[in-house]
């Protein structure tokens, strides 16, 4: 027998209760959740370490994802590919299994261990990234990119749920902003490292080095990230896929947020893949110059936008839940004219100056929307709900973005020649305006359907 001295009610200590060890262990996760909900000032041990490790893992994910874009030109020349084939490799090949497996892996994570699912995903992701360096033709590289998608599928949604569990208070969007910094930082490092490694060796070496470098992180992650406390009695029923689908299907805000993020990500991922090629074709930059241009653009603009989104999301969203969607809509509208001016500029210096602010604005929505999705369902459903959101987001964004821009570039080649990609990007900016309109439609239902 042992004495339970953890019970807390309304901030006051309750008299000790004698309990056996099995009962104490069974209720441990419930007690910690009650402490965190009733006492937001109480900080769970190591939660900032957990957030830091999740951030590093997310950064590795985007290094492995983004490295392909900076290597697109040498890959195209070596394997004799068209822009349409490059677009398939950069988008659809990755998105097919990333989108479809994310939901079953999230259900597995909700029912078992989120940290073990993420650990396995890191191993698969890094392994298939390294195997990309051995591909000898389009189809071999396509299969390797499918494998990278499998690795990505198991990491993001469970990470969302872990962050929501460790940071349940009014600063949740800020926590998601720190985590989401992995997107611009990982993309920037993928571009910079990929460019330098390829310049020193070749594109195959870059894949092998980056892929193998991610392997040790899986062991570090498993050691440093404990499974967060969850309410065991409700988890088994709440995590049934059909039940989660039914809850989400009834919420208009889920659909507006998902399709808004998907349409926005469609152009975001498309630009992430094709902008390096645009800088080489239309602005005459070398491989190293392109990696520096895009890498610093992501670090400066992308980093600032993600952090600003988290800070403003919490500042205004805590007073009006609809602000999470409204601010995202305003940011996308403001990005379009500046992006268009950058695409039409005649020098790389002018393009960089014009791209910095819109690069911040188009990633502004990440932290507010990621946080909002966590509050459309009960806590035990969060990984599965996040996977449903990411399924829509990535199937549209990853699956369509790179492919649509590549196909549009091929279609415009007869008229514009080497400048076809420039005009393809310019036309595609309409997707940000569509995304803004969809975010605006989410404002009112988000206020009504938010769960604290």
């Amino acid at each position: 027998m042992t004495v339970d001295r953890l019970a807390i009610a309304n901030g006051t200590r309750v008299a000790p209760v004698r309990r056996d060890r099995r009962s104490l262990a069974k209720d441990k996760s419930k007690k910690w959740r009650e402490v965190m909900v009733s006492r937001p000032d109480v900080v769970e041990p190591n939660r900032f370490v957990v957030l830091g490790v999740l951030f590093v893992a997310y950064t590795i994910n985007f290094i492995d994802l983004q490295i392909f874009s900076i290597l697109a030109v040498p890959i195209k020349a070596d394997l004799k590919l068209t822009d349409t084939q490059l677009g398939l490799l950069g988008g659809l090949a990755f998105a097919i299994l990333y989108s479809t497996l994310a939901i079953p892996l999230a259900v597995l994570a909700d029912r078992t261990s989120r940290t073990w699912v993420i650990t396995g995903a890191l191993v698969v992701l890094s392994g298939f990234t390294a195997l990309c360096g051995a591909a000898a033709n389009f189809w071999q590289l396509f299969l390797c990119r499918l494998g990278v998608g499998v690795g990505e599928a198991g990491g993001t949604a469970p990470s969302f749920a872990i962050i929501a569990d460790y940071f349940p208070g009014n600063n949740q969007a800020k926590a998601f902003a720190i985590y989401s910094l992995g997107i611009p930082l990982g993309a920037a490092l993928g571009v910079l490292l990929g460019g330098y490694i390829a310049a020193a060796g070749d594109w195959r070496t870059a894949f092998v080095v980056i892929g193998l470098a991610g392997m040790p992180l899986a062991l570090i992650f498993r050691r440093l990230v404990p499974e967060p406390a969850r309410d065991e009695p409700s988890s088994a029923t709440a995590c049934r896929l059909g039940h989660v689908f039914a809850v989400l299907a009834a919420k208009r805000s889920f659909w507006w947020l998902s399709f808004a993020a998907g349409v926005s990500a469609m152009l975001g991922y498309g630009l992430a893949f094709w902008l390096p090629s645009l800088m080489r074709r239309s602005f005459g930059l070398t491989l190293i110059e392109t990696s520096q241009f895009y890498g610093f653009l992501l670090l400066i603009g992308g980093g600032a936008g993600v952090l600003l989104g988290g800070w403003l999301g919490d500042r205004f969203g805590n007073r009006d839940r609809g602000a999470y969607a409204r601010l995202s809509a305003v940011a996308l509208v403001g990005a379009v004219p500046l992006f268009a001016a950058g695409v039409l500029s005649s020098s790389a210096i002018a393009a960089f100056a014009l791209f910095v602010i819109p690069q911040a604005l188009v990633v502004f929505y990440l932290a507010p929307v990621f946080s909002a999705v966590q509050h459309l369902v009960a806590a035990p459903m969060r990984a599965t709900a996040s996977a449903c959101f990411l399924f829509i987001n990535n199937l549209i964004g990853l699956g369509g973005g790179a492919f649509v821009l590549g196909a549009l570039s091929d279609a415009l080649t007869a008229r514009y020649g080497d400048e076809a990609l420039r005009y393809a990007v310019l036309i595609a900016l309409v997707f940000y305006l569509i995304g803004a309109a969809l975010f605006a439609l989410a404002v009112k239902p988000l206020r009504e359907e938010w769960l604290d």
Side-chain angles (χ1 to χ4, degrees), residues 185-331:
L185 180 60
L189 289 175
V191 167
L192 290 169
L193 293 175
Y196 282 111
I197 294 172
D202 58 20
W203 65 269
R204 298 181 185 278
T205 303
F207 276 116
V208 173
V209 171
I210 296 296
L212 294 180
M215 286 288 189
L217 178 63
L219 297 175
I220 297 172
F221 178 88
R222 188 68 192 94
R223 184 173 182 83
L224 294 181
V225 180
E227 186 71 16
R230 284 188 278 174
D231 297 328
E232 295 179 12
S234 61
S235 294
T237 56
C239 296
R240 289 174 184 165
L241 192 56
H243 179 55
V244 179
F245 281 169
V247 171
L248 293 174
K251 300 204 171 188
R252 291 174 298 154
S253 58
F254 171 78
W255 296 107
W256 292 130
L257 290 175
S258 298
F259 284 111
V263 171
S264 303
M266 184 175 181
L267 185 53
Y269 281 120
L271 287 174
F273 184 80
W274 286 111
L275 194 59
S277 296
L278 174 68
M279 300 313 299
R280 297 196 68 180
R281 296 182 193 181
S282 297
F283 292 86
L285 301 186
T286 65
L287 177 63
I288 295 297
E289 289 171 340
T290 300
S291 68
Q292 292 171 341
F293 179 98
Y294 195 40
F296 286 113
L297 179 64
L298 290 168
L299 283 174
I300 298 170
V306 167
L307 290 175
L308 188 64
W311 181 69
L312 290 179
D314 277 335
R315 182 177 177 84
F316 293 97
N318 288 331
R319 290 179 284 179
D320 174 14
R321 300 306 189 186
Y324 287 98
R326 186 176 64 252
L327 292 172
S328 301
V330 172

Side-chain angles (χ1 to χ4, degrees), residues 360-381:
L361 293 175
V362 298
V363 296
F364 178 96
Y365 75 89
L366 293 174
V369 172
F370 290 169
S371 181
V373 171
Q374 306 309 303
H375 291 277
L376 297 178
V377 296
M381 306 181 191

Side-chain angles (χ1 to χ4, degrees), residues 58-409:
Y58 205 37
T59 301
I60 293 292
N61 285 359
F62 272 85
I63 290 175
D64 292 347
L65 174 63
Q66 192 63 43
I67 188 177
F68 194 90
S69 68
I70 194 65
L71 301 176
V73 172
I75 290 173
K76 179 181 180 181
D78 190 14
L79 301 184
K80 298 177 174 59
L81 305 177
T82 66
D83 278 354
T84 301
Q85 287 177 313
L86 272 180
L88 287 171
L89 291 171
L92 190 61
F94 176 84
I96 289 174
L97 292 183
Y98 182 23
S99 299
T100 55
L101 287 182
I103 294 177
L105 287 175
V107 173
L108 178 65
D110 274 339
R111 291 181 176 179
T112 58
S113 169
R114 290 166 179 166
T115 55
W116 270 115
V117 170
I118 296 172
T119 300
L122 286 169
V123 172
V124 174
L125 171 69
S126 299
F128 275 99
T129 298
L131 285 174
C132 286
N137 55 52
F138 169 79
W139 287 110
Q140 289 180 11
L141 192 53
F142 188 91
L143 291 175
C144 289
R145 293 290 288 172
L146 286 177
V148 173
V150 174
E152 288 276 6
T156 307
S159 296
F160 283 5
I162 290 175
I163 292 170
D165 284 342
Y166 274 101
F167 294 85
N170 292 332
N171 292 321
Q172 191 177 94
K174 294 186 183 71
F176 274 105
I178 294 172
Y179 174 73
S180 299
L181 275 175
I183 297 176
L185 180 60
L189 289 175
V191 167
L192 290 169
L193 293 175
Y196 282 111
I197 294 172
D202 58 20
W203 65 269
R204 298 181 185 278
T205 303
F207 276 116
V208 173
V209 171
I210 296 296
L212 294 180
M215 286 288 189
L217 178 63
L219 297 175
I220 297 172
F221 178 88
R222 188 68 192 94
R223 184 173 182 83
L224 294 181
V225 180
E227 186 71 16
R230 284 188 278 174
D231 297 328
E232 295 179 12
S234 61
S235 294
T237 56
C239 296
R240 289 174 184 165
L241 192 56
H243 179 55
V244 179
F245 281 169
V247 171
L248 293 174
K251 300 204 171 188
R252 291 174 298 154
S253 58
F254 171 78
W255 296 107
W256 292 130
L257 290 175
S258 298
F259 284 111
V263 171
S264 303
M266 184 175 181
L267 185 53
Y269 281 120
L271 287 174
F273 184 80
W274 286 111
L275 194 59
S277 296
L278 174 68
M279 300 313 299
R280 297 196 68 180
R281 296 182 193 181
S282 297
F283 292 86
L285 301 186
T286 65
L287 177 63
I288 295 297
E289 289 171 340
T290 300
S291 68
Q292 292 171 341
F293 179 98
Y294 195 40
F296 286 113
L297 179 64
L298 290 168
L299 283 174
I300 298 170
V306 167
L307 290 175
L308 188 64
W311 181 69
L312 290 179
D314 277 335
R315 182 177 177 84
F316 293 97
N318 288 331
R319 290 179 284 179
D320 174 14
R321 300 306 189 186
Y324 287 98
R326 186 176 64 252
L327 292 172
S328 301
V330 172
L332 289 178
V333 171
V336 172
L338 290 172
F339 250 135
V343 169
L344 293 173
S345 64
S346 58
S347 74
I349 294 175
F352 187 90
L354 290 165
F355 283 157
V356 168
I357 293 177
Q359 181 63 41
L361 293 175
V362 298
V363 296
F364 178 96
Y365 75 89
L366 293 174
V369 172
F370 290 169
S371 181
V373 171
Q374 306 309 303
H375 291 277
L376 297 178
V377 296
M381 306 181 191
R382 283 173 175 163
T384 306
S386 296
C388 294
F389 166 78
L390 291 170
F391 173 81
I392 298 172
N393 179 71
N394 292 323
L395 197 61
I396 298 173
L398 274 172
F403 172 73
V404 167
L405 277 176
L408 189 56
S409 175

